[in-house]
Amino acid sequence: MEPTTKTETLDIEGMTCASCASAIEKSLSRAPGVQSAMVNFATEKATVHYLPGQASPATLKEAVVNAGYGVLERAPDTSAAERSAEIDRQKELAYQKLKRRFWVATGLAVIIMPLSMLMLWPALMARVNMPLLNYALLLLTLPVLLYSGREFYVSAWNGFKHRAANMDTLIAVGTGAAFLYSLAATVVPDFFLSRGLMPEVYYDTTATIIALILLGKVLEMRAKTQTSAAIRSLMGLQAKTARVVRPDGQQVDVPIEQVQLGDIIVVRPGEKVATDGRITEGQSSLNEAMLTGESLPVEKKTGDPVFGATLNKTGSFRFEVTKVGADTMLSQIVKLVEDAQGSRAPIQRLADKVSAIFVPTVVVIAILTFVLWFDLAPAETRLPLALVNFVAVLIIACPCALGLATPTAIMVSTGKGAEHGVLIRNAEALEKAYKVDTVLLDKTGTITKGEPAVTDFLAPGQDSARLLQLVAAVERQSEHPLAEAVVRHADAQGGARLNATGFRAIEGKGAAATVEGQAVLIGNHRLLTEADISLSAELTAQAEQLLGQARTVLYVAVAGQAVGLVGVADTVRDTSAAAIKELQALGIEVVMMTGDNPQTAAQVAGQVGIARYFAEVLPQDKAGKVKALQAEGRTVAMVGDGINDAPALAQADIGLAVGSGTDVAMEAAGITLMRSDLHGVVTAIELSRQTIRTIKQNLFFAFIYNTLGIPVAAGLLYPFFGILLSPMLAAAAMALSSVSVLTNSLRLKSFNE
């Protein structure tokens, strides 16, 4: 059955400011069948949700073209990595072309500027043929206009045809007005002289403004490349080839694109794992830092999962391929980061509203500036002053900084989060994490390891090592989680493996078997009672002590005599207490929620430093506890890992799913932690806070820049202080405003856990 809606991502060409993004959004939104459209100026991507029966990728492309912009073509059968590489190649070509345009403009401006300065020296002017000099300046300026600045005028004309205005409109009108005035003064100087005006030319203004704006664009494009470095870094981790075992046993190196589901792949020490799979033979330790941010190697054995792009450290192993291409963990991470970088934070809405009306407003202000100066200035200077201030207003008012303020910070922070094993679903999740004042932790699998482990093995008066071997021999035959914990404990202690015969699983009570001719029982107290086996006073006291510590107690009997106790518990992760302390240091209250009894809940809460907890919470009541905290006026982050956590994760202001959890939990969460460590929660909240601070700084500087810059450019200070803003200084300030916002966003790259 065809899905209700589809999502298409388009790579946009020709955007120069946030106004462009707004124009494309409107055009896409008006297209039949489009449910929603969002265009990100920083990533130069459009994300469109549409009804397949009414729209298609072709109609979406047509809507973008109708708005006056282009779409980079994607080959239909290429992988995400190949598409990304092709887009990067096209962007690199565009960057090289932009640099050539900049150097041509700069080279000519360096010549035009000193020649124009001759007019400031009366002694030199008497010796120079001014009409001839003006024609020379005209010829030098034409290449700047027609080659270096051509795209500004083409874009402005396209915008005019589609009744849209953008940054290029401001540049084209400003530099175009200065050039046309200069052209008239060069070709028909008598027109000006007959009216008592000097035929002054502003070719230096035109050439220098274009050169400075191109400089800003070169720096901006370079900085943008750095903001998306995380994606390229992730894509570069993928292995290029895989050593596949053919049915005849021959090993063949093949390109990664040719690997198929079910293939058996050999991985030797020092090699990358080619794709996702499960080990069928051998064991090793793998560096999974690219997934989890954790640098310590992870031990892997037969049956364990492995993931593409992780690094094999020591042993050699074989694994069966279970996922390829877009289904692999690496591809999913790349897609999640790309989606997050292309999303829009709520804090950006104000900037978007301003950008949508900014350019037309600036054009009106520039016209008013021209009219007022022309009316009020002295007759001999009114036209030059009106023109210069008109151009200065248009040039300084570029809304680029506003358009870059939020998305560039989001791009850097989501990429940085991925480096630390924190996958942020979208910008909204990042902004919500910033407001969190309460973190609600599900105990099992979050604070604790989520699996039972032996905490105590007591055998008073017995050979404890020998007794452990007898118990393990029985439990190896069982599939019960508590039995697995006992076996793991025995294996960790080493020693001989004994054989058990006549194994019996006694439902709800335990297990029995014969080991080396001795009848061995292990289970709960009821098992021993029904076998008419009594406990000594010492064992009874020890059992009560373990129960008081919230342990599950297994009783051991050999040859009809109670001889030992096994204490089992879901142990607290080594890092939980430290991470909870860090959260509390950030001013966040940490609350625990568990289905365990109050005694166990109190013991675990006390162990990790949590003062408030909810005990005996049924799965269906978890979301209710989140609501209760929200009713107190709290902004709640819920951290969980299981299917029964999904409703609570969805109910919370922001949900965080630990990476060892289920797909259902991760789908309901706004942030996924790739390692089962609460330090990831600290990282996510600290990263969110630093990102939102950066965005607020960016927006402040962008708004202040335009708020103060436009009145100065209009000449508001001239009547009081005699200060006018040169159009060339306006162009330099405009270029630096965008670069400063990008540079501020790039500071997030220094973020560390």
mmCIF file of all heavy atoms in Angstrom, residues 255-293:
data_model
loop_
_atom_site.group_PDB
_atom_site.id
_atom_site.type_symbol
_atom_site.label_atom_id
_atom_site.label_comp_id
_atom_site.label_asym_id
_atom_site.label_seq_id
_atom_site.Cartn_x
_atom_site.Cartn_y
_atom_site.Cartn_z
ATOM 1 N N PRO A 255 34.234 -4.465 -3.986
ATOM 2 C CA PRO A 255 33.779 -3.131 -3.558
ATOM 3 C C PRO A 255 32.604 -3.262 -2.595
ATOM 4 O O PRO A 255 31.774 -4.175 -2.727
ATOM 5 C CB PRO A 255 33.359 -2.461 -4.868
ATOM 6 C CG PRO A 255 34.098 -3.205 -5.933
ATOM 7 C CD PRO A 255 34.211 -4.613 -5.451
ATOM 8 N N ILE A 256 32.519 -2.350 -1.654
ATOM 9 C CA ILE A 256 31.486 -2.426 -0.621
ATOM 10 C C ILE A 256 30.086 -2.429 -1.233
ATOM 11 O O ILE A 256 29.159 -3.027 -0.681
ATOM 12 C CB ILE A 256 31.650 -1.261 0.382
ATOM 13 C CG1 ILE A 256 30.741 -1.459 1.600
ATOM 14 C CG2 ILE A 256 31.397 0.084 -0.267
ATOM 15 C CD1 ILE A 256 31.110 -2.624 2.446
ATOM 16 N N GLU A 257 29.923 -1.774 -2.394
ATOM 17 C CA GLU A 257 28.608 -1.703 -3.036
ATOM 18 C C GLU A 257 28.119 -3.074 -3.507
ATOM 19 O O GLU A 257 26.933 -3.274 -3.722
ATOM 20 C CB GLU A 257 28.640 -0.744 -4.234
ATOM 21 C CG GLU A 257 28.870 0.716 -3.879
ATOM 22 C CD GLU A 257 30.336 1.023 -3.610
ATOM 23 O OE1 GLU A 257 31.185 0.162 -3.935
ATOM 24 O OE2 GLU A 257 30.637 2.110 -3.073
ATOM 25 N N GLN A 258 29.047 -4.051 -3.671
ATOM 26 C CA GLN A 258 28.670 -5.370 -4.178
ATOM 27 C C GLN A 258 28.369 -6.373 -3.068
ATOM 28 O O GLN A 258 27.997 -7.510 -3.332
ATOM 29 C CB GLN A 258 29.782 -5.914 -5.076
ATOM 30 C CG GLN A 258 30.002 -5.091 -6.337
ATOM 31 C CD GLN A 258 31.101 -5.652 -7.212
ATOM 32 O OE1 GLN A 258 31.527 -6.798 -7.059
ATOM 33 N NE2 GLN A 258 31.582 -4.836 -8.150
ATOM 34 N N VAL A 259 28.552 -5.977 -1.818
ATOM 35 C CA VAL A 259 28.269 -6.868 -0.694
ATOM 36 C C VAL A 259 26.766 -7.077 -0.576
ATOM 37 O O VAL A 259 25.978 -6.141 -0.703
ATOM 38 C CB VAL A 259 28.833 -6.271 0.623
ATOM 39 C CG1 VAL A 259 28.393 -7.110 1.816
ATOM 40 C CG2 VAL A 259 30.346 -6.200 0.550
ATOM 41 N N GLN A 260 26.351 -8.345 -0.351
ATOM 42 C CA GLN A 260 24.933 -8.681 -0.296
ATOM 43 C C GLN A 260 24.572 -9.299 1.047
ATOM 44 O O GLN A 260 25.438 -9.795 1.782
ATOM 45 C CB GLN A 260 24.578 -9.658 -1.421
ATOM 46 C CG GLN A 260 24.834 -9.104 -2.815
ATOM 47 C CD GLN A 260 24.503 -10.108 -3.900
ATOM 48 O OE1 GLN A 260 24.110 -11.238 -3.605
ATOM 49 N NE2 GLN A 260 24.660 -9.705 -5.151
ATOM 50 N N LEU A 261 23.281 -9.260 1.362
ATOM 51 C CA LEU A 261 22.798 -9.888 2.590
ATOM 52 C C LEU A 261 23.154 -11.372 2.584
ATOM 53 O O LEU A 261 23.017 -12.052 1.567
ATOM 54 C CB LEU A 261 21.281 -9.720 2.715
ATOM 55 C CG LEU A 261 20.762 -8.290 2.921
ATOM 56 C CD1 LEU A 261 19.238 -8.286 2.902
ATOM 57 C CD2 LEU A 261 21.266 -7.721 4.231
ATOM 58 N N GLY A 262 23.604 -11.874 3.732
ATOM 59 C CA GLY A 262 23.953 -13.286 3.844
ATOM 60 C C GLY A 262 25.400 -13.608 3.511
ATOM 61 O O GLY A 262 25.864 -14.718 3.798
ATOM 62 N N ASP A 263 26.127 -12.669 2.905
ATOM 63 C CA ASP A 263 27.548 -12.903 2.620
ATOM 64 C C ASP A 263 28.314 -13.118 3.920
ATOM 65 O O ASP A 263 27.986 -12.540 4.962
ATOM 66 C CB ASP A 263 28.162 -11.709 1.884
ATOM 67 C CG ASP A 263 27.843 -11.707 0.387
ATOM 68 O OD1 ASP A 263 27.327 -12.731 -0.103
ATOM 69 O OD2 ASP A 263 28.104 -10.687 -0.273
ATOM 70 N N ILE A 264 29.357 -13.961 3.835
ATOM 71 C CA ILE A 264 30.271 -14.140 4.960
ATOM 72 C C ILE A 264 31.529 -13.332 4.675
ATOM 73 O O ILE A 264 32.139 -13.482 3.612
ATOM 74 C CB ILE A 264 30.633 -15.628 5.172
ATOM 75 C CG1 ILE A 264 29.367 -16.451 5.435
ATOM 76 C CG2 ILE A 264 31.621 -15.777 6.323
ATOM 77 C CD1 ILE A 264 28.631 -16.067 6.704
ATOM 78 N N ILE A 265 31.902 -12.462 5.621
ATOM 79 C CA ILE A 265 33.030 -11.558 5.418
ATOM 80 C C ILE A 265 34.094 -11.804 6.476
ATOM 81 O O ILE A 265 33.781 -12.007 7.659
ATOM 82 C CB ILE A 265 32.556 -10.091 5.473
ATOM 83 C CG1 ILE A 265 31.648 -9.806 4.270
ATOM 84 C CG2 ILE A 265 33.725 -9.114 5.487
ATOM 85 C CD1 ILE A 265 31.096 -8.409 4.234
ATOM 86 N N VAL A 266 35.338 -11.812 6.035
ATOM 87 C CA VAL A 266 36.484 -11.995 6.923
ATOM 88 C C VAL A 266 37.035 -10.627 7.319
ATOM 89 O O VAL A 266 37.211 -9.745 6.471
ATOM 90 C CB VAL A 266 37.594 -12.813 6.231
ATOM 91 C CG1 VAL A 266 38.825 -12.930 7.131
ATOM 92 C CG2 VAL A 266 37.074 -14.195 5.858
ATOM 93 N N VAL A 267 37.290 -10.446 8.613
ATOM 94 C CA VAL A 267 37.893 -9.205 9.110
ATOM 95 C C VAL A 267 39.161 -9.559 9.873
ATOM 96 O O VAL A 267 39.124 -10.324 10.841
ATOM 97 C CB VAL A 267 36.929 -8.436 10.036
ATOM 98 C CG1 VAL A 267 37.543 -7.100 10.453
ATOM 99 C CG2 VAL A 267 35.593 -8.208 9.355
ATOM 100 N N ARG A 268 40.283 -9.001 9.420
ATOM 101 C CA ARG A 268 41.571 -9.270 10.056
ATOM 102 C C ARG A 268 41.946 -8.119 10.992
ATOM 103 O O ARG A 268 41.362 -7.033 10.917
ATOM 104 C CB ARG A 268 42.640 -9.468 8.981
ATOM 105 C CG ARG A 268 42.394 -10.703 8.112
ATOM 106 C CD ARG A 268 43.322 -10.748 6.919
ATOM 107 N NE ARG A 268 43.092 -9.613 6.016
ATOM 108 C CZ ARG A 268 43.664 -9.494 4.826
ATOM 109 N NH1 ARG A 268 44.491 -10.428 4.399
ATOM 110 N NH2 ARG A 268 43.416 -8.444 4.072
ATOM 111 N N PRO A 269 42.927 -8.327 11.871
ATOM 112 C CA PRO A 269 43.335 -7.258 12.793
ATOM 113 C C PRO A 269 43.709 -5.976 12.048
ATOM 114 O O PRO A 269 44.400 -6.013 11.034
ATOM 115 C CB PRO A 269 44.556 -7.857 13.498
ATOM 116 C CG PRO A 269 44.347 -9.328 13.435
ATOM 117 C CD PRO A 269 43.680 -9.572 12.112
ATOM 118 N N GLY A 270 43.223 -4.842 12.567
ATOM 119 C CA GLY A 270 43.544 -3.550 11.974
ATOM 120 C C GLY A 270 42.631 -3.132 10.846
ATOM 121 O O GLY A 270 42.759 -2.010 10.339
ATOM 122 N N GLU A 271 41.696 -3.997 10.431
ATOM 123 C CA GLU A 271 40.799 -3.662 9.325
ATOM 124 C C GLU A 271 39.474 -3.099 9.847
ATOM 125 O O GLU A 271 39.071 -3.354 10.982
ATOM 126 C CB GLU A 271 40.512 -4.910 8.473
ATOM 127 C CG GLU A 271 41.717 -5.425 7.719
ATOM 128 C CD GLU A 271 41.390 -6.635 6.853
ATOM 129 O OE1 GLU A 271 40.359 -7.299 7.106
ATOM 130 O OE2 GLU A 271 42.158 -6.903 5.920
ATOM 131 N N LYS A 272 38.800 -2.358 8.986
ATOM 132 C CA LYS A 272 37.463 -1.871 9.299
ATOM 133 C C LYS A 272 36.433 -2.949 9.002
ATOM 134 O O LYS A 272 36.577 -3.711 8.039
ATOM 135 C CB LYS A 272 37.132 -0.628 8.469
ATOM 136 C CG LYS A 272 37.793 0.651 8.951
ATOM 137 C CD LYS A 272 37.319 1.830 8.111
ATOM 138 C CE LYS A 272 37.944 3.126 8.596
ATOM 139 N NZ LYS A 272 37.505 4.283 7.779
ATOM 140 N N VAL A 273 35.385 -2.989 9.802
ATOM 141 C CA VAL A 273 34.247 -3.860 9.511
ATOM 142 C C VAL A 273 33.497 -3.247 8.330
ATOM 143 O O VAL A 273 33.196 -2.049 8.329
ATOM 144 C CB VAL A 273 33.327 -3.988 10.742
ATOM 145 C CG1 VAL A 273 32.115 -4.850 10.423
ATOM 146 C CG2 VAL A 273 34.106 -4.562 11.917
ATOM 147 N N ALA A 274 33.234 -4.050 7.327
ATOM 148 C CA ALA A 274 32.697 -3.522 6.066
ATOM 149 C C ALA A 274 31.252 -3.039 6.181
ATOM 150 O O ALA A 274 30.879 -2.011 5.626
ATOM 151 C CB ALA A 274 32.814 -4.574 4.971
ATOM 152 N N THR A 275 30.425 -3.789 6.898
ATOM 153 C CA THR A 275 29.005 -3.443 7.018
ATOM 154 C C THR A 275 28.459 -4.106 8.269
ATOM 155 O O THR A 275 29.218 -4.737 9.022
ATOM 156 C CB THR A 275 28.235 -3.880 5.759
ATOM 157 O OG1 THR A 275 26.898 -3.380 5.812
ATOM 158 C CG2 THR A 275 28.218 -5.391 5.594
ATOM 159 N N ASP A 276 27.157 -3.988 8.522
ATOM 160 C CA ASP A 276 26.579 -4.554 9.738
ATOM 161 C C ASP A 276 26.382 -6.059 9.593
ATOM 162 O O ASP A 276 26.039 -6.556 8.507
ATOM 163 C CB ASP A 276 25.229 -3.898 10.033
ATOM 164 C CG ASP A 276 25.365 -2.421 10.355
ATOM 165 O OD1 ASP A 276 26.487 -1.904 10.264
ATOM 166 O OD2 ASP A 276 24.346 -1.796 10.699
ATOM 167 N N GLY A 277 26.553 -6.768 10.700
ATOM 168 C CA GLY A 277 26.361 -8.210 10.656
ATOM 169 C C GLY A 277 26.457 -8.842 12.026
ATOM 170 O O GLY A 277 26.429 -8.153 13.056
ATOM 171 N N ARG A 278 26.600 -10.178 12.036
ATOM 172 C CA ARG A 278 26.701 -10.926 13.287
ATOM 173 C C ARG A 278 27.836 -11.940 13.171
ATOM 174 O O ARG A 278 27.946 -12.639 12.157
ATOM 175 C CB ARG A 278 25.374 -11.636 13.583
ATOM 176 C CG ARG A 278 25.256 -12.168 15.012
ATOM 177 C CD ARG A 278 23.821 -12.557 15.325
ATOM 178 N NE ARG A 278 22.928 -11.404 15.305
ATOM 179 C CZ ARG A 278 22.770 -10.557 16.314
ATOM 180 N NH1 ARG A 278 23.454 -10.731 17.435
ATOM 181 N NH2 ARG A 278 21.932 -9.550 16.216
ATOM 182 N N ILE A 279 28.687 -11.992 14.191
ATOM 183 C CA ILE A 279 29.873 -12.850 14.146
ATOM 184 C C ILE A 279 29.463 -14.324 14.112
ATOM 185 O O ILE A 279 28.645 -14.778 14.917
ATOM 186 C CB ILE A 279 30.793 -12.579 15.351
ATOM 187 C CG1 ILE A 279 31.356 -11.159 15.277
ATOM 188 C CG2 ILE A 279 31.940 -13.583 15.401
ATOM 189 C CD1 ILE A 279 32.245 -10.779 16.445
ATOM 190 N N THR A 280 30.037 -15.049 13.170
ATOM 191 C CA THR A 280 29.773 -16.485 13.050
ATOM 192 C C THR A 280 30.965 -17.328 13.485
ATOM 193 O O THR A 280 30.816 -18.508 13.781
ATOM 194 C CB THR A 280 29.438 -16.842 11.586
ATOM 195 O OG1 THR A 280 30.545 -16.458 10.746
ATOM 196 C CG2 THR A 280 28.170 -16.139 11.128
ATOM 197 N N GLU A 281 32.137 -16.709 13.533
ATOM 198 C CA GLU A 281 33.340 -17.470 13.877
ATOM 199 C C GLU A 281 34.432 -16.504 14.357
ATOM 200 O O GLU A 281 34.684 -15.487 13.724
ATOM 201 C CB GLU A 281 33.838 -18.234 12.646
ATOM 202 C CG GLU A 281 35.055 -19.108 12.886
ATOM 203 C CD GLU A 281 35.521 -19.785 11.608
ATOM 204 O OE1 GLU A 281 34.661 -20.046 10.724
ATOM 205 O OE2 GLU A 281 36.733 -20.033 11.485
ATOM 206 N N GLY A 282 35.061 -16.851 15.511
ATOM 207 C CA GLY A 282 36.150 -16.035 16.015
ATOM 208 C C GLY A 282 35.697 -15.016 17.046
ATOM 209 O O GLY A 282 34.515 -14.900 17.361
ATOM 210 N N GLN A 283 36.668 -14.277 17.567
ATOM 211 C CA GLN A 283 36.378 -13.234 18.541
ATOM 212 C C GLN A 283 37.448 -12.149 18.449
ATOM 213 O O GLN A 283 38.537 -12.378 17.935
ATOM 214 C CB GLN A 283 36.318 -13.800 19.957
ATOM 215 C CG GLN A 283 37.603 -14.471 20.419
ATOM 216 C CD GLN A 283 37.450 -15.094 21.796
ATOM 217 O OE1 GLN A 283 36.344 -15.390 22.239
ATOM 218 N NE2 GLN A 283 38.564 -15.286 22.481
ATOM 219 N N SER A 284 37.121 -10.968 18.954
ATOM 220 C CA SER A 284 38.054 -9.856 18.856
ATOM 221 C C SER A 284 37.568 -8.727 19.749
ATOM 222 O O SER A 284 36.530 -8.838 20.413
ATOM 223 C CB SER A 284 38.161 -9.365 17.403
ATOM 224 O OG SER A 284 39.137 -8.356 17.284
ATOM 225 N N SER A 285 38.328 -7.649 19.791
ATOM 226 C CA SER A 285 37.883 -6.414 20.434
ATOM 227 C C SER A 285 37.803 -5.350 19.350
ATOM 228 O O SER A 285 38.700 -5.258 18.500
ATOM 229 C CB SER A 285 38.844 -5.991 21.544
ATOM 230 O OG SER A 285 40.126 -5.749 21.022
ATOM 231 N N LEU A 286 36.725 -4.567 19.368
ATOM 232 C CA LEU A 286 36.489 -3.569 18.324
ATOM 233 C C LEU A 286 36.411 -2.174 18.929
ATOM 234 O O LEU A 286 35.858 -1.982 20.015
ATOM 235 C CB LEU A 286 35.189 -3.866 17.574
ATOM 236 C CG LEU A 286 35.277 -4.830 16.388
ATOM 237 C CD1 LEU A 286 35.541 -6.247 16.869
ATOM 238 C CD2 LEU A 286 33.996 -4.804 15.579
ATOM 239 N N ASN A 287 36.949 -1.220 18.202
ATOM 240 C CA ASN A 287 36.805 0.186 18.570
ATOM 241 C C ASN A 287 35.526 0.710 17.930
ATOM 242 O O ASN A 287 35.442 0.847 16.711
ATOM 243 C CB ASN A 287 38.024 0.978 18.078
ATOM 244 C CG ASN A 287 37.968 2.432 18.506
ATOM 245 O OD1 ASN A 287 36.907 2.973 18.810
ATOM 246 N ND2 ASN A 287 39.103 3.084 18.524
ATOM 247 N N GLU A 288 34.519 1.003 18.747
ATOM 248 C CA GLU A 288 33.222 1.478 18.247
ATOM 249 C C GLU A 288 33.017 2.961 18.550
ATOM 250 O O GLU A 288 31.891 3.450 18.641
ATOM 251 C CB GLU A 288 32.089 0.648 18.858
ATOM 252 C CG GLU A 288 32.118 -0.817 18.429
ATOM 253 C CD GLU A 288 30.918 -1.607 18.920
ATOM 254 O OE1 GLU A 288 30.275 -1.146 19.887
ATOM 255 O OE2 GLU A 288 30.628 -2.664 18.335
ATOM 256 N N ALA A 289 34.135 3.698 18.669
ATOM 257 C CA ALA A 289 34.051 5.118 19.022
ATOM 258 C C ALA A 289 33.232 5.910 18.018
ATOM 259 O O ALA A 289 32.552 6.874 18.373
ATOM 260 C CB ALA A 289 35.453 5.709 19.141
ATOM 261 N N MET A 290 33.273 5.531 16.727
ATOM 262 C CA MET A 290 32.513 6.274 15.715
ATOM 263 C C MET A 290 31.003 6.160 15.934
ATOM 264 O O MET A 290 30.239 6.994 15.465
ATOM 265 C CB MET A 290 32.885 5.806 14.305
ATOM 266 C CG MET A 290 32.856 4.307 14.049
ATOM 267 S SD MET A 290 31.236 3.533 13.882
ATOM 268 C CE MET A 290 30.536 4.419 12.544
ATOM 269 N N LEU A 291 30.563 5.126 16.676
ATOM 270 C CA LEU A 291 29.141 4.984 16.977
ATOM 271 C C LEU A 291 28.785 5.581 18.332
ATOM 272 O O LEU A 291 27.782 6.263 18.481
ATOM 273 C CB LEU A 291 28.741 3.504 16.994
ATOM 274 C CG LEU A 291 28.719 2.741 15.672
ATOM 275 C CD1 LEU A 291 28.349 1.301 15.937
ATOM 276 C CD2 LEU A 291 27.737 3.363 14.710
ATOM 277 N N THR A 292 29.617 5.284 19.320
ATOM 278 C CA THR A 292 29.255 5.585 20.702
ATOM 279 C C THR A 292 30.018 6.744 21.305
ATOM 280 O O THR A 292 29.630 7.268 22.347
ATOM 281 C CB THR A 292 29.501 4.347 21.576
ATOM 282 O OG1 THR A 292 30.915 4.061 21.584
ATOM 283 C CG2 THR A 292 28.752 3.138 21.042
ATOM 284 N N GLY A 293 31.140 7.135 20.682
ATOM 285 C CA GLY A 293 31.993 8.149 21.279
ATOM 286 C C GLY A 293 32.878 7.578 22.375
ATOM 287 O O GLY A 293 33.696 8.280 22.962
#
